[in-house]
Amino acid sequence: RCVKATSSNSQSSRSHMLFTIHFAVTTKNGIQRKGKLNVCDLAGSERLDKSGANTVGGALLLETQNINKSLSTLSNVIERLQSGSGNVPFRESKLTFLLQNSLGGNSK
């Protein structure tokens, strides 16, 4: 995980962390069930002016913009799934693309 100081937080997480566990369980009857567990630690959304990223510029500004875009895309995906929309933008960010099977379909 990447952590950097910003104007609003001395230990600001600058990345998302996604840990995926794939597992298979076989019952006594010989039935095999497969599953996947995703554990996510999401970087927090930051306002450009409060974090100081817009005055510093460079990599910090780009990181903040990418984090905010990724979280916004996740929000859009969840809203579209809740509304029953046929077009869900899973491919608009790496995060939502990786979580596609866990967010949609018959996930629990």
Side-chain angles (χ1 to χ4, degrees):
R1 234 179 84 200
C2 180
V3 177
K4 290 183 184 173
T6 65
S7 297
S8 58
N9 189 352
S10 64
Q11 294 281 318
S12 179
S13 177
R14 308 309 300 163
S15 62
H16 302 311
M17 190 273 305
L18 178 62
F19 182 74
T20 303
I21 301 171
H22 295 269
F23 57 92
V25 178
T26 305
T27 65
K28 293 178 184 177
N29 301 337
I31 300 170
Q32 188 177 38
R33 300 206 181 240
K34 294 180 181 181
K36 178 167 79 168
L37 174 67
N38 288 312
V39 179
C40 300
D41 179 18
L42 301 177
S45 176
E46 292 184 354
R47 297 195 183 277
L48 292 175
D49 55 341
K50 285 190 178 183
S51 68
N54 59 347
T55 57
V56 175
L60 186 60
L61 176 62
L62 188 60
E63 285 175 355
T64 303
Q65 289 172 333
N66 287 335
I67 289 167
N68 290 344
K69 181 181 179 205
S70 178
L71 293 172
S72 177
T73 302
L74 179 60
S75 175
N76 291 340
V77 164
I78 292 170
E79 285 178 16
R80 295 264 179 95
L81 288 169
Q82 287 178 338
S83 70
S85 174
N87 183 18
V88 181
F90 288 113
R91 293 185 181 188
E92 287 186 13
S93 81
K94 289 179 185 179
L95 177 67
T96 54
F97 182 76
L98 292 171
L99 293 174
Q100 182 173 357
N101 292 336
S102 297
L103 294 171
N106 62 354
S107 60
K108 296 176 182 157

